[in-house]
Amino acid sequence: MTEHESFEQQIGRKIEAIRKIYEIEPDALCEKIGIPLKKLENYERGAESITLAHLYKITSVFNLSLSYFLKDW
């Protein structure tokens, strides 16, 4: 996390990074968690706050805990 990075930006950066590590295209992740592509793009840019339900679905796809996304806060 950088000094000027918002919570939304931090979460979005982590979502994008883990998606790229697992080589999952944005549209494929959207299909797995049931959201439109535009919403995922907003999440990854930090332009929109992610819901806990959507974050939980993302953690399930990648077999991660919520703490992975929240540990820097």
Side-chain angles (χ1 to χ4, degrees), residues 7 11 15 29-30 32-35 39-40 43 48-62 64-66 69-70:
F7 177 76
I11 296 295
I15 292 169
L29 181 56
C30 289
K32 288 179 182 288
I33 63 173
I35 63 170
K39 185 167 282 297
L40 178 63
Y43 289 161
E48 184 176 340
S49 294
I50 191 165
T51 66
L52 185 56
H54 289 160
L55 188 57
Y56 179 77
K57 287 180 182 180
I58 290 170
T59 64
S60 296
V61 169
F62 298 112
L64 298 169
S65 69
L66 284 172
F69 291 98
L70 303 174

Side-chain angles (χ1 to χ4, degrees), residues 8-38:
E8 289 81 6
Q9 290 168 325
Q10 177 199 8
I11 296 295
R13 180 178 45 79
K14 287 182 176 185
I15 292 169
E16 182 178 20
I18 200 72
R19 182 179 56 72
K20 288 180 177 181
I21 289 168
Y22 282 83
E23 299 179 345
I24 294 180
E25 293 297 320
D27 56 335
L29 181 56
C30 289
E31 187 175 320
K32 288 179 182 288
I33 63 173
I35 63 170
L37 180 58
K38 184 68 176 168

